[in-house]
Amino acid sequence: MANIKLTYFDLRARAEPCRLLLAYGGIKYEDERIAPPWDAATTWPTLKPTTPFGQLPLLKWDDEVICQSMACARFIAREVGLAGTSSMESAQVDE
C-alpha cells in the first residue's frame, strides 16, 4: 500500500475532487489541512517556498510529489480505475 498525503488549505475548493476520488477508491491517506492564508494561525508563508510552484494542493504518493489539482485528480482517477480504458473514454472523462 502506498504512503499517501494530500496537503491543502482547510477548505474544499481545489483538493476536494482528490479527496472524493480517494474516498471512492477506499484509499487511506493523510489529509493535511493547513489554515487558509487569511487566518492568523496559518503556516502557509513558511510552507509556500517549499512547494514546487508555490501552490497547493500537493499530493505525495510514496516518494513522488504531484502538484496542480487536475494533475493530482487525474492520477488518482487512473489509480482507482475511473480514467477510462481507451483514448476516447479518457477524453470523455476529461470533458
Side-chain angles (χ1 to χ4, degrees):
M1 185 60 131
N3 182 20
I4 304 163
K5 179 178 178 181
L6 180 64
T7 304
Y8 193 63
F9 301 110
D10 191 12
L11 306 166
R12 290 186 189 148
R14 296 184 186 270
E16 198 64 13
C18 294
R19 291 182 185 123
L20 292 171
L21 286 163
L22 289 163
Y24 171 86
I27 298 174
K28 293 190 183 291
Y29 69 102
E30 179 184 346
D31 189 10
E32 179 183 30
R33 297 182 186 221
I34 63 170
W38 57 84
D39 191 319
T42 191
T43 57
W44 177 236
T46 56
L47 178 62
K48 183 175 181 171
T50 68
T51 64
F53 297 116
Q55 302 172 339
L56 295 177
L58 291 178
L59 177 67
K60 185 172 183 188
W61 196 280
D62 286 330
D63 294 327
E64 299 292 330
V65 175
I66 304 169
C67 45
Q68 300 293 313
S69 59
M70 289 308 298
C72 295
R74 284 183 180 155
F75 172 79
I76 298 167
R78 282 191 296 276
E79 291 295 307
V80 300
L82 291 178
T85 57
S86 68
S87 296
M88 183 55 72
E89 284 182 2
S90 295
Q92 290 169 332
V93 168
D94 287 341
E95 283 185 310

